[in-house]
Amino acid sequence: MGLEGPSSSIVEKSRPGRVVAFGSLVDHAGGHLQNCNTLLAGHDENDHADHQSDHQSDESSLAQQQHCSHVGDPHLWLDPTLMKQLVAGIDEHLTQRGAAPGAARVAAVLSRIDEADRLAGEVLADVAGGRLITQHDAWRRYAAAYDLQILGSVLPAGVGQPTAGDMARALDAIEMARQSSNLPIAIMTEPQLNPRVAQRVAQSAEVPLGVLEPLGDGDWFALHVRNARVIADTLTGYSSVAGISPP
């Protein structure tokens, strides 16, 4: 992110195993948290492959489901607020070890995060309130930052084969969302996941399918805005795919 230069000597001299974890530098509860509708199963915070199902079938139960804490959500880098905390934490740790990156460099990185956050917000403004079903339950913080809703996750995320129950839960979630409002709905998969179940649900429910990239190639700033464009483009396609009038 532009802070690596002064830290290279520290890395070379560090003892094996000396690692500062992202999660230790940020306030997990201080970023964008989303009270979420657990219409489909999420994943255990300690194991992305360990999934469990939790489906409620009526709207009164759905309203009671909106207490999903993401303090344990490990996808911290998808939250621009936490990324700014990370930069401040890196600055503090490097300064304590005699390799301060300098106020100007830190300010420049923080400014780039703010700019990526601003651009993503502009891109997503026209689809505010849009609903997403993700194949990987990684996007709740991102969604909360830009007034999007996560309906749940399509399972399994590339592990095993989807069951009839998995498909039924996904289709039920989409139908419930349609009955509640005309706000757009989209399904999101990721490049590293087997997309077959997401494709089947998208085709059966007549909702658009997009591909989000949680990792990227090292350019966080471009990745953050690119994902916003993917979400906006996919949600914008909902009306034509589903054959309904936009809200």
Side-chain angles (χ1 to χ4, degrees):
M1 296 188 71
L3 302 178
E4 294 87 349
S7 65
S8 58
S9 61
I10 298 295
V11 173
E12 291 173 1
K13 296 177 182 179
S14 293
R15 294 172 296 184
R18 186 178 182 82
V19 176
V20 178
F22 187 170
S24 70
L25 299 180
V26 302
D27 175 9
H28 293 221
H32 293 97
L33 304 179
Q34 184 181 67
N35 289 333
C36 58
N37 300 329
T38 311
L39 291 174
L40 303 174
H43 64 67
D44 187 278
E45 65 193 55
N46 297 314
D47 184 358
H48 287 204
D50 181 19
H51 293 275
Q52 57 184 352
S53 292
D54 180 20
H55 174 66
Q56 299 292 336
S57 60
D58 61 81
E59 290 195 28
S60 62
S61 295
L62 176 58
Q64 296 171 5
Q65 285 290 321
Q66 298 185 358
H67 300 287
C68 182
S69 170
H70 296 287
V71 173
D73 183 347
H75 308 93
L76 306 179
W77 67 94
L78 297 177
D79 185 331
T81 297
L82 295 186
M83 286 300 292
K84 293 179 69 173
Q85 291 183 23
L86 171 65
V87 170
I90 291 173
D91 178 31
E92 180 180 353
H93 275 262
L94 292 178
T95 299
Q96 291 173 353
R97 288 156 180 77
R105 182 176 297 218
V106 172
V109 175
L110 292 174
S111 178
R112 290 188 68 193
I113 293 174
D114 283 337
E115 178 66 4
D117 185 20
R118 182 188 68 79
L119 288 173
E122 287 184 357
V123 168
L124 291 166
D126 288 341
V127 293
R131 285 85 60 86
L132 303 177
I133 292 180
T134 59
Q135 189 169 359
H136 175 203
D137 195 11
W139 298 92
R140 297 189 186 276
R141 291 182 183 275
Y142 193 100
Y146 302 110
D147 194 21
L148 302 169
Q149 303 175 55
I150 300 292
L151 299 182
S153 295
V154 175
L155 298 179
V159 179
Q161 294 297 320
T163 66
D166 294 329
M167 296 289 293
R169 278 186 289 273
L171 293 171
D172 285 352
I174 293 170
E175 182 58 29
M176 287 177 63
R178 278 187 170 138
Q179 291 176 5
S180 66
S181 80
N182 277 345
L183 288 169
I185 306 168
I187 295 177
M188 295 292 171
T189 185
E190 296 175 13
Q192 77 278 13
L193 303 177
N194 184 335
R196 284 179 297 175
V197 62
Q199 291 169 343
R200 289 172 59 189
V201 172
Q203 183 177 18
S204 297
E206 296 184 315
V207 297
L209 176 67
V211 181
L212 292 175
E213 172 57 79
L215 301 177
D217 58 4
D219 187 340
W220 179 90
F221 312 99
L223 176 71
H224 195 76
V225 178
R226 186 164 63 246
N227 281 323
R229 292 195 174 108
V230 169
I231 292 172
D233 289 346
T234 309
L235 285 171
T236 300
Y238 172 68
S239 296
S240 59
V241 172
I244 65 170
S245 299

